[in-house]
Amino acid sequence: MNQPADHQYAEPLVPASAQAAPVPPAADLNTFNVEIPSAEELAPVGAKYIWLMVLAQFGVFVAFITPLAISLSIRIAELAPNNQEFLAYITGAGAFAAMISSPFLGVASDRTRSRLGRRRPYMIGGAILGMVSLLVMATAPSVLLLGAGWVLAQIGWGQVLNNLLFSMADRLPEHQRGKVAGLTGFATQVAPVVGVVVAGGFATQNILLFLIPGFIGIVFVLLFVLFIRESDSRTMARQPRLHIGTLLSKFLFNPRRHQDYAWAWLGRFLFYFGLTLNTTFTAFFFAQRLGVEVAEVAPTLAVLSLLGIGATTIGAVGGGFLSDKLRRRRVFVTAAGILFGAGAITMALSTDIVGLMAGSLLCSVGIGAFAAVDQALILDVLPARETDTGRFMSIIGFATSLPQAVAPLIAPIFLAIGVTAAGEKNYLLLYIVAAVFTAAGGLVVLRIRGVK
Protein backbone atom coordinates (compact mmCIF):
# COMPACT_ATOMS: atom_id res chain seq x y z
CA MET A 1 0.00 0.00 0.00
CA ASN A 2 1.42 3.38 -1.00
CA GLN A 3 1.46 5.30 2.25
CA PRO A 4 3.23 8.57 3.06
CA ALA A 5 6.42 8.52 5.06
CA ASP A 6 6.01 8.64 8.80
CA HIS A 7 8.01 11.84 9.26
CA GLN A 8 5.20 13.82 7.67
CA TYR A 9 3.07 13.15 10.71
CA ALA A 10 5.40 14.08 13.54
CA GLU A 11 3.71 16.33 16.07
CA PRO A 12 3.74 19.95 14.84
CA LEU A 13 4.74 22.18 17.76
CA VAL A 14 4.52 25.93 18.31
CA PRO A 15 7.46 27.81 16.72
CA ALA A 16 9.82 29.78 18.91
CA SER A 17 8.30 33.06 17.79
CA ALA A 18 5.01 32.06 19.36
CA GLN A 19 6.53 31.78 22.80
CA ALA A 20 6.08 35.51 23.32
CA ALA A 21 2.34 34.95 23.62
CA PRO A 22 0.87 35.58 27.09
CA VAL A 23 1.13 32.62 29.45
CA PRO A 24 -2.29 31.20 30.30
CA PRO A 25 -3.44 31.81 33.88
CA ALA A 26 -3.02 29.09 36.50
CA ALA A 27 -6.73 28.32 36.36
CA ASP A 28 -6.32 27.27 32.74
CA LEU A 29 -3.48 24.80 33.15
CA ASN A 30 -5.04 22.36 30.67
CA THR A 31 -4.60 24.81 27.77
CA PHE A 32 -1.41 24.03 25.86
CA ASN A 33 0.00 26.26 23.11
CA VAL A 34 0.67 23.21 20.96
CA GLU A 35 -0.78 22.92 17.48
CA ILE A 36 -1.61 19.22 17.51
CA PRO A 37 -4.20 18.13 14.94
CA SER A 38 -7.62 17.14 16.17
CA ALA A 39 -8.75 13.53 15.75
CA GLU A 40 -10.55 14.46 12.55
CA GLU A 41 -7.45 16.15 11.05
CA LEU A 42 -4.91 13.39 11.67
CA ALA A 43 -3.48 11.92 8.49
CA PRO A 44 -2.94 8.14 8.24
CA VAL A 45 0.39 6.89 9.59
CA GLY A 46 2.67 4.88 7.35
CA ALA A 47 3.53 1.20 7.45
CA LYS A 48 6.90 1.92 9.08
CA TYR A 49 5.26 3.54 12.08
CA ILE A 50 2.72 0.73 12.46
CA TRP A 51 5.18 -2.16 12.32
CA LEU A 52 7.81 -0.53 14.51
CA MET A 53 5.06 0.24 17.03
CA VAL A 54 3.99 -3.41 16.93
CA LEU A 55 7.58 -4.60 17.45
CA ALA A 56 8.23 -2.11 20.25
CA GLN A 57 5.17 -3.19 22.23
CA PHE A 58 6.03 -6.83 21.55
CA GLY A 59 9.51 -6.26 22.97
CA VAL A 60 8.24 -4.48 26.08
CA PHE A 61 5.87 -7.34 26.85
CA VAL A 62 8.54 -10.01 26.33
CA ALA A 63 10.78 -8.21 28.82
CA PHE A 64 8.05 -7.18 31.22
CA ILE A 65 5.52 -10.01 31.33
CA THR A 66 7.94 -12.95 31.33
CA PRO A 67 8.84 -12.37 35.01
CA LEU A 68 5.15 -12.16 35.88
CA ALA A 69 4.29 -15.28 33.87
CA ILE A 70 6.99 -17.59 35.19
CA SER A 71 10.33 -16.06 36.25
CA LEU A 72 9.13 -14.52 39.52
CA SER A 73 7.43 -17.79 40.48
CA ILE A 74 10.66 -19.72 39.89
CA ARG A 75 12.68 -17.29 41.99
CA ILE A 76 10.13 -17.26 44.83
CA ALA A 77 10.13 -21.05 44.84
CA GLU A 78 13.93 -20.83 45.29
CA LEU A 79 14.03 -18.05 47.90
CA ALA A 80 10.87 -18.84 49.91
CA PRO A 81 9.56 -22.36 49.28
CA ASN A 82 5.90 -22.97 50.19
CA ASN A 83 5.19 -19.23 50.38
CA GLN A 84 3.17 -18.68 47.23
CA GLU A 85 1.49 -15.62 48.77
CA PHE A 86 4.78 -13.70 48.41
CA LEU A 87 4.10 -13.56 44.67
CA ALA A 88 0.88 -11.66 45.37
CA TYR A 89 2.65 -9.21 47.68
CA ILE A 90 5.43 -8.54 45.18
CA THR A 91 3.17 -8.07 42.17
CA GLY A 92 0.79 -5.95 44.22
CA ALA A 93 3.60 -3.67 45.40
CA GLY A 94 4.89 -3.26 41.85
CA ALA A 95 1.46 -2.39 40.52
CA PHE A 96 0.97 0.13 43.34
CA ALA A 97 4.28 1.80 42.47
CA ALA A 98 3.25 2.03 38.81
CA MET A 99 -0.15 3.40 39.79
CA ILE A 100 1.47 6.21 41.82
CA SER A 101 4.25 7.12 39.38
CA SER A 102 2.57 6.80 35.98
CA PRO A 103 0.17 9.76 36.21
CA PHE A 104 2.93 12.15 37.31
CA LEU A 105 5.18 10.95 34.53
CA GLY A 106 2.30 11.14 32.05
CA VAL A 107 1.75 14.83 32.79
CA ALA A 108 5.53 15.35 32.63
CA SER A 109 5.60 13.72 29.20
CA ASP A 110 2.91 16.10 27.91
CA ARG A 111 4.99 19.07 29.09
CA THR A 112 8.50 17.85 28.18
CA ARG A 113 10.59 20.17 25.98
CA SER A 114 13.53 18.30 24.42
CA ARG A 115 15.36 17.76 21.16
CA LEU A 116 14.01 14.19 21.10
CA GLY A 117 10.42 15.34 21.49
CA ARG A 118 7.97 14.65 24.31
CA ARG A 119 7.69 10.85 24.28
CA ARG A 120 11.06 9.41 23.28
CA PRO A 121 13.07 10.53 26.36
CA TYR A 122 10.76 8.47 28.57
CA MET A 123 11.04 5.45 26.28
CA ILE A 124 14.84 5.56 26.49
CA GLY A 125 15.00 6.18 30.25
CA GLY A 126 12.35 3.57 30.95
CA ALA A 127 14.14 0.90 28.91
CA ILE A 128 17.41 1.52 30.77
CA LEU A 129 15.68 1.35 34.16
CA GLY A 130 13.86 -1.79 32.98
CA MET A 131 17.11 -3.59 32.19
CA VAL A 132 18.56 -2.63 35.57
CA SER A 133 15.44 -4.03 37.26
CA LEU A 134 15.80 -7.38 35.49
CA LEU A 135 19.40 -7.67 36.67
CA VAL A 136 18.29 -6.92 40.25
CA MET A 137 15.65 -9.66 40.11
CA ALA A 138 18.05 -12.15 38.56
CA THR A 139 20.65 -11.71 41.30
CA ALA A 140 18.42 -10.91 44.30
CA PRO A 141 19.50 -12.90 47.39
CA SER A 142 16.20 -12.27 49.19
CA VAL A 143 12.50 -11.88 48.53
CA LEU A 144 12.73 -8.22 49.59
CA LEU A 145 15.27 -7.37 46.88
CA LEU A 146 13.33 -9.47 44.39
CA GLY A 147 10.31 -7.29 45.15
CA ALA A 148 12.37 -4.11 44.80
CA GLY A 149 13.48 -5.28 41.37
CA TRP A 150 9.87 -5.85 40.31
CA VAL A 151 8.90 -2.36 41.49
CA LEU A 152 11.67 -0.90 39.30
CA ALA A 153 10.48 -3.05 36.39
CA GLN A 154 6.92 -1.76 36.73
CA ILE A 155 8.12 1.84 36.66
CA GLY A 156 10.71 1.43 33.90
CA TRP A 157 9.00 -0.82 31.37
CA GLY A 158 5.66 0.74 32.30
CA GLN A 159 6.91 4.15 31.16
CA VAL A 160 8.10 2.73 27.85
CA LEU A 161 4.69 1.20 27.20
CA ASN A 162 2.81 4.30 28.37
CA ASN A 163 4.68 6.59 25.99
CA LEU A 164 4.16 4.19 23.10
CA LEU A 165 0.43 4.44 23.84
CA PHE A 166 0.69 8.24 24.09
CA SER A 167 2.27 8.22 20.65
CA MET A 168 -0.65 6.19 19.29
CA ALA A 169 -3.11 8.67 20.78
CA ASP A 170 -1.13 11.59 19.32
CA ARG A 171 -0.92 10.24 15.79
CA LEU A 172 -3.55 7.63 14.88
CA PRO A 173 -6.69 8.77 13.03
CA GLU A 174 -9.93 7.07 14.01
CA HIS A 175 -10.11 4.71 11.03
CA GLN A 176 -6.69 3.18 11.86
CA ARG A 177 -7.13 2.73 15.61
CA GLY A 178 -8.80 -0.67 15.53
CA LYS A 179 -6.32 -2.10 13.04
CA VAL A 180 -3.23 -0.86 14.87
CA ALA A 181 -4.67 -1.80 18.26
CA GLY A 182 -5.46 -5.24 16.85
CA LEU A 183 -1.90 -5.75 15.62
CA THR A 184 -0.31 -4.44 18.81
CA GLY A 185 -2.83 -6.40 20.88
CA PHE A 186 -1.86 -9.57 19.06
CA ALA A 187 1.83 -8.80 19.54
CA THR A 188 1.43 -8.18 23.26
CA GLN A 189 -0.42 -11.46 23.68
CA VAL A 190 2.14 -13.45 21.71
CA ALA A 191 5.01 -11.80 23.59
CA PRO A 192 4.42 -13.67 26.87
CA VAL A 193 4.35 -16.91 24.90
CA VAL A 194 7.79 -16.12 23.52
CA GLY A 195 8.89 -15.12 27.00
CA VAL A 196 7.68 -18.37 28.55
CA VAL A 197 9.40 -20.38 25.81
CA VAL A 198 12.65 -18.51 26.51
CA ALA A 199 12.19 -18.97 30.26
CA GLY A 200 11.57 -22.68 29.77
CA GLY A 201 15.03 -22.97 28.21
CA PHE A 202 16.78 -21.08 31.01
CA ALA A 203 14.71 -22.06 34.06
CA THR A 204 17.84 -22.98 36.03
CA GLN A 205 20.00 -20.02 34.90
CA ASN A 206 18.69 -16.92 36.64
CA ILE A 207 20.74 -14.32 34.75
CA LEU A 208 19.65 -15.56 31.32
CA LEU A 209 16.13 -16.22 32.59
CA PHE A 210 15.65 -12.46 33.10
CA LEU A 211 18.14 -10.76 30.78
CA ILE A 212 17.41 -12.56 27.50
CA PRO A 213 13.78 -11.33 27.47
CA GLY A 214 15.07 -7.89 28.50
CA PHE A 215 17.52 -7.79 25.61
CA ILE A 216 14.69 -8.56 23.17
CA GLY A 217 12.70 -5.70 24.68
CA ILE A 218 15.40 -3.07 24.56
CA VAL A 219 16.36 -3.85 20.95
CA PHE A 220 12.83 -3.39 19.63
CA VAL A 221 12.22 -0.25 21.70
CA LEU A 222 15.42 1.32 20.38
CA LEU A 223 14.36 0.54 16.80
CA PHE A 224 11.20 2.59 17.36
CA VAL A 225 13.10 5.43 19.03
CA LEU A 226 15.72 5.56 16.27
CA PHE A 227 13.50 5.30 13.21
CA ILE A 228 10.25 7.06 14.19
CA ARG A 229 10.85 10.79 14.13
CA GLU A 230 9.26 13.08 16.69
CA SER A 231 9.48 16.85 16.41
CA ASP A 232 11.88 18.82 18.59
CA SER A 233 9.65 20.00 21.45
CA ARG A 234 12.03 22.70 22.70
CA THR A 235 10.05 25.16 20.57
CA MET A 236 6.90 24.31 22.52
CA ALA A 237 5.65 27.19 24.66
CA ARG A 238 6.62 26.84 28.30
CA GLN A 239 3.75 25.89 30.58
CA PRO A 240 3.01 27.40 34.00
CA ARG A 241 4.56 25.67 36.95
CA LEU A 242 2.44 22.98 38.51
CA HIS A 243 1.82 23.29 42.22
CA ILE A 244 1.04 20.16 44.18
CA GLY A 245 -2.67 20.97 44.36
CA THR A 246 -3.11 21.58 40.64
CA LEU A 247 -0.92 18.59 39.81
CA LEU A 248 -3.00 16.24 41.92
CA SER A 249 -6.19 17.66 40.40
CA LYS A 250 -4.99 16.48 36.99
CA PHE A 251 -5.45 12.90 38.13
CA LEU A 252 -9.15 13.44 38.66
CA PHE A 253 -11.90 14.01 36.13
CA ASN A 254 -15.61 14.73 36.19
CA PRO A 255 -17.44 11.50 35.26
CA ARG A 256 -20.61 13.43 34.49
CA ARG A 257 -18.81 15.64 32.01
CA HIS A 258 -16.97 12.70 30.42
CA GLN A 259 -19.52 9.91 30.85
CA ASP A 260 -18.35 7.70 27.98
CA TYR A 261 -14.76 7.95 29.21
CA ALA A 262 -15.94 7.04 32.72
CA TRP A 263 -17.79 3.92 31.53
CA ALA A 264 -14.78 2.88 29.45
CA TRP A 265 -12.59 3.33 32.55
CA LEU A 266 -14.89 1.17 34.67
CA GLY A 267 -15.13 -1.54 32.02
CA ARG A 268 -11.37 -1.81 31.78
CA PHE A 269 -11.01 -1.83 35.57
CA LEU A 270 -13.46 -4.71 36.00
CA PHE A 271 -11.97 -6.74 33.17
CA TYR A 272 -8.38 -6.36 34.37
CA PHE A 273 -9.38 -7.10 37.94
CA GLY A 274 -10.73 -10.46 36.78
CA LEU A 275 -7.77 -10.99 34.45
CA THR A 276 -5.30 -10.36 37.29
CA LEU A 277 -7.11 -12.81 39.56
CA ASN A 278 -6.97 -15.34 36.74
CA THR A 279 -3.32 -14.98 35.76
CA THR A 280 -1.32 -14.10 38.89
CA PHE A 281 -1.11 -17.68 40.14
CA THR A 282 -1.07 -19.46 36.77
CA ALA A 283 2.16 -21.36 37.41
CA PHE A 284 1.03 -22.52 40.87
CA PHE A 285 -2.48 -23.35 39.57
CA PHE A 286 -1.14 -25.55 36.77
CA ALA A 287 1.34 -27.20 39.12
CA GLN A 288 -1.46 -28.14 41.52
CA ARG A 289 -3.86 -29.38 38.84
CA LEU A 290 -1.19 -31.36 36.96
CA GLY A 291 0.54 -32.67 40.09
CA VAL A 292 4.04 -31.35 39.27
CA GLU A 293 6.56 -28.94 40.79
CA VAL A 294 6.42 -25.24 39.86
CA ALA A 295 9.78 -25.37 38.06
CA GLU A 296 8.41 -28.19 35.86
CA VAL A 297 5.45 -26.10 34.69
CA ALA A 298 7.41 -23.81 32.32
CA PRO A 299 7.62 -26.29 29.39
CA THR A 300 3.91 -27.17 29.77
CA LEU A 301 2.91 -23.51 29.82
CA ALA A 302 5.12 -22.86 26.81
CA VAL A 303 3.43 -25.56 24.72
CA LEU A 304 -0.03 -24.50 25.86
CA SER A 305 0.75 -20.85 25.15
CA LEU A 306 2.01 -21.64 21.66
CA LEU A 307 -1.30 -23.33 20.89
CA GLY A 308 -3.04 -20.15 22.01
CA ILE A 309 -1.31 -17.97 19.42
CA GLY A 310 -3.91 -18.78 16.78
CA ALA A 311 -6.74 -18.05 19.19
CA THR A 312 -5.18 -14.75 20.20
CA THR A 313 -4.74 -13.84 16.54
CA ILE A 314 -8.43 -14.43 15.87
CA GLY A 315 -9.40 -12.29 18.84
CA ALA A 316 -6.94 -9.43 18.45
CA VAL A 317 -6.49 -9.00 14.71
CA GLY A 318 -9.97 -10.21 13.79
CA GLY A 319 -11.64 -8.07 16.44
CA GLY A 320 -9.56 -4.99 15.66
CA PHE A 321 -10.04 -5.09 11.89
CA LEU A 322 -13.75 -5.96 12.09
CA SER A 323 -14.43 -3.19 14.60
CA ASP A 324 -12.93 -0.68 12.16
CA LYS A 325 -14.77 -2.14 9.16
CA LEU A 326 -18.16 -2.38 10.90
CA ARG A 327 -17.58 0.82 12.92
CA ARG A 328 -18.60 -1.02 16.07
CA ARG A 329 -16.60 -1.24 19.31
CA ARG A 330 -18.97 -2.07 22.16
CA VAL A 331 -20.27 -5.41 20.90
CA PHE A 332 -16.73 -6.74 20.47
CA VAL A 333 -15.63 -5.59 23.93
CA THR A 334 -18.73 -7.13 25.52
CA ALA A 335 -18.27 -10.44 23.70
CA ALA A 336 -14.59 -10.50 24.69
CA GLY A 337 -15.38 -10.09 28.39
CA ILE A 338 -17.99 -12.85 28.36
CA LEU A 339 -15.77 -15.19 26.35
CA PHE A 340 -12.82 -14.73 28.70
CA GLY A 341 -15.13 -15.46 31.64
CA ALA A 342 -16.30 -18.68 29.98
CA GLY A 343 -12.68 -19.72 29.51
CA ALA A 344 -11.84 -19.00 33.15
CA ILE A 345 -14.74 -21.16 34.38
CA THR A 346 -13.73 -23.96 32.02
CA MET A 347 -10.22 -23.90 33.48
CA ALA A 348 -11.59 -23.78 37.04
CA LEU A 349 -13.60 -26.96 36.46
CA SER A 350 -10.80 -28.83 34.68
CA THR A 351 -8.50 -31.39 36.24
CA ASP A 352 -6.53 -32.47 33.17
CA ILE A 353 -4.54 -30.86 30.37
CA VAL A 354 -7.41 -31.16 27.86
CA GLY A 355 -9.81 -29.06 29.92
CA LEU A 356 -7.09 -26.58 30.84
CA MET A 357 -6.20 -26.26 27.17
CA ALA A 358 -9.81 -25.64 26.11
CA GLY A 359 -10.27 -22.97 28.77
CA SER A 360 -6.96 -21.36 27.93
CA LEU A 361 -7.89 -21.09 24.24
CA LEU A 362 -11.19 -19.41 25.09
CA CYS A 363 -9.34 -16.97 27.33
CA SER A 364 -6.86 -16.29 24.52
CA VAL A 365 -9.62 -15.28 22.12
CA GLY A 366 -11.22 -13.13 24.81
CA ILE A 367 -8.11 -11.27 25.93
CA GLY A 368 -6.98 -10.81 22.33
CA ALA A 369 -10.26 -9.17 21.30
CA PHE A 370 -10.52 -7.10 24.48
CA ALA A 371 -6.93 -5.82 24.31
CA ALA A 372 -7.40 -4.68 20.71
CA VAL A 373 -10.90 -3.25 20.60
CA ASP A 374 -10.93 -1.75 24.09
CA GLN A 375 -7.74 0.13 23.23
CA ALA A 376 -9.44 1.57 20.13
CA LEU A 377 -12.52 2.37 22.21
CA ILE A 378 -10.41 4.27 24.74
CA LEU A 379 -8.84 6.36 21.96
CA ASP A 380 -12.31 7.08 20.56
CA VAL A 381 -13.65 8.47 23.86
CA LEU A 382 -10.42 10.14 25.07
CA PRO A 383 -11.16 13.71 26.25
CA ALA A 384 -8.86 16.59 25.30
CA ARG A 385 -6.73 14.43 23.03
CA GLU A 386 -5.12 17.51 21.49
CA THR A 387 -3.75 18.82 24.80
CA ASP A 388 -3.88 16.26 27.61
CA THR A 389 -3.11 12.90 26.02
CA GLY A 390 -0.66 11.85 28.71
CA ARG A 391 -2.97 12.97 31.48
CA PHE A 392 -6.09 11.09 30.36
CA MET A 393 -4.18 8.03 29.16
CA SER A 394 -2.51 7.90 32.58
CA ILE A 395 -5.88 8.09 34.30
CA ILE A 396 -6.97 5.16 32.13
CA GLY A 397 -3.79 3.51 33.35
CA PHE A 398 -5.34 3.46 36.83
CA ALA A 399 -7.95 1.08 35.43
CA THR A 400 -5.12 -1.39 34.77
CA SER A 401 -2.74 -0.65 37.65
CA LEU A 402 -5.36 -0.58 40.42
CA PRO A 403 -6.53 -4.13 39.67
CA GLN A 404 -2.91 -5.26 39.44
CA ALA A 405 -2.24 -3.74 42.85
CA VAL A 406 -5.41 -4.83 44.63
CA ALA A 407 -6.40 -8.16 43.03
CA PRO A 408 -3.21 -10.04 44.04
CA LEU A 409 -3.73 -8.94 47.65
CA ILE A 410 -7.36 -10.10 47.64
CA ALA A 411 -6.72 -13.36 45.78
CA PRO A 412 -5.18 -15.17 48.80
CA ILE A 413 -8.49 -14.68 50.64
CA PHE A 414 -10.32 -16.73 48.02
CA LEU A 415 -7.48 -19.25 47.84
CA ALA A 416 -7.64 -19.80 51.61
CA ILE A 417 -11.38 -20.55 51.70
CA GLY A 418 -11.90 -24.30 52.05
CA VAL A 419 -8.22 -25.26 51.86
CA THR A 420 -7.92 -29.06 51.86
CA ALA A 421 -6.06 -31.11 54.45
CA ALA A 422 -3.30 -31.56 51.90
CA GLY A 423 -2.90 -27.78 51.68
CA GLU A 424 -4.42 -27.40 48.20
CA LYS A 425 -5.62 -23.85 47.49
CA ASN A 426 -9.17 -23.04 46.33
CA TYR A 427 -8.44 -22.16 42.71
CA LEU A 428 -11.99 -23.14 41.74
CA LEU A 429 -13.46 -20.19 43.67
CA LEU A 430 -10.72 -17.81 42.53
CA TYR A 431 -11.29 -18.52 38.83
CA ILE A 432 -15.09 -18.28 39.13
CA VAL A 433 -14.76 -14.86 40.78
CA ALA A 434 -12.35 -13.84 38.00
CA ALA A 435 -14.93 -14.87 35.38
CA VAL A 436 -17.62 -12.72 37.00
CA PHE A 437 -15.40 -9.64 36.88
CA THR A 438 -14.28 -10.08 33.26
CA ALA A 439 -17.84 -10.60 32.05
CA ALA A 440 -18.97 -7.51 33.98
CA GLY A 441 -16.16 -5.51 32.39
CA GLY A 442 -17.45 -6.38 28.95
CA LEU A 443 -21.08 -5.60 29.78
CA VAL A 444 -20.39 -2.18 31.33
CA VAL A 445 -19.25 -0.63 28.02
CA LEU A 446 -22.78 -1.03 26.67
CA ARG A 447 -23.54 2.15 28.65
CA ILE A 448 -21.30 4.17 26.34
CA ARG A 449 -23.36 6.34 24.01
CA GLY A 450 -20.87 8.27 21.86
CA VAL A 451 -19.38 5.17 20.24
CA LYS A 452 -21.33 2.33 18.62
Side-chain angles (χ1 to χ4, degrees), residues 11-94:
E11 303 162 47
L13 302 169
V14 172
S17 60
Q19 295 184 31
V23 175
D28 193 24
L29 289 174
N30 291 334
T31 301
F32 283 21
N33 293 326
V34 183
E35 298 175 2
I36 299 175
S38 67
E40 293 75 19
E41 297 171 340
L42 289 171
V45 298
K48 181 176 72 172
Y49 178 91
I50 293 173
W51 290 111
L52 287 178
M53 173 63 73
V54 170
L55 287 175
Q57 292 199 35
F58 170 83
V60 170
F61 270 70
V62 169
F64 186 41
I65 302 301
T66 301
L68 189 59
I70 187 65
S71 307
L72 280 174
S73 297
I74 291 175
R75 291 246 58 205
I76 288 173
E78 293 175 355
L79 298 172
N82 301 318
N83 287 278
Q84 300 177 12
E85 65 275 11
F86 285 176
L87 179 61
Y89 304 147
I90 288 175
T91 55

Side-chain angles (χ1 to χ4, degrees), residues 157-339:
W157 292 113
Q159 274 311 295
V160 179
L161 180 60
N162 285 346
N163 280 273
L164 289 170
L165 295 177
F166 298 166
S167 177
M168 288 174 61
D170 291 339
R171 299 176 66 167
L172 288 180
E174 183 178 354
H175 70 274
Q176 284 189 311
R177 290 171 187 165
K179 299 179 181 67
V180 177
L183 292 171
T184 56
F186 165 68
T188 57
Q189 296 310 307
V190 172
V193 178
V194 174
V196 170
V197 171
V198 171
F202 300 104
T204 59
Q205 304 175 59
N206 288 336
I207 296 292
L208 297 179
L209 178 66
F210 285 90
L211 294 191
I212 294 297
F215 179 75
I216 294 172
I218 203 165
V219 166
F220 285 139
V221 169
L222 289 180
L223 286 176
F224 184 89
V225 169
L226 291 173
F227 292 106
I228 298 301
R229 179 179 175 268
E230 184 180 357
S231 294
D232 187 332
S233 62
R234 290 175 297 181
T235 58
M236 184 172 67
R238 290 184 180 276
Q239 303 304 314
R241 288 185 178 181
L242 286 176
H243 301 291
I244 186 64
T246 53
L247 180 60
L248 291 175
S249 72
K250 284 182 171 288
F251 307 142
L252 303 174
F253 71 97
N254 187 336
R256 291 186 176 181
R257 182 180 178 186
H258 305 298
Q259 291 186 19
D260 286 350
Y261 177 78
W263 287 119
W265 190 98
L266 181 59
R268 177 171 285 197
F269 173 86
L270 292 172
F271 183 89
Y272 277 94
F273 195 95
L275 176 65
T276 305
L277 290 177
N278 180 275
T279 58
T280 299
F281 294 92
T282 298
F284 293 112
F285 169 62
F286 271 72
Q288 178 175 301
R289 289 297 170 91
L290 299 177
V292 299
E293 297 296 325
V294 174
E296 300 175 51
V297 170
T300 302
L301 291 181
V303 173
L304 189 59
S305 298
L306 285 171
L307 294 175
I309 290 178
T312 304
T313 303
I314 293 171
V317 180
F321 276 72
L322 282 175
S323 72
D324 273 354
K325 184 177 181 61
L326 300 177
R327 296 185 178 275
R328 297 286 189 276
R329 307 288 195 209
R330 296 181 304 167
V331 64
F332 289 97
V333 174
T334 299
I338 293 173
L339 192 59

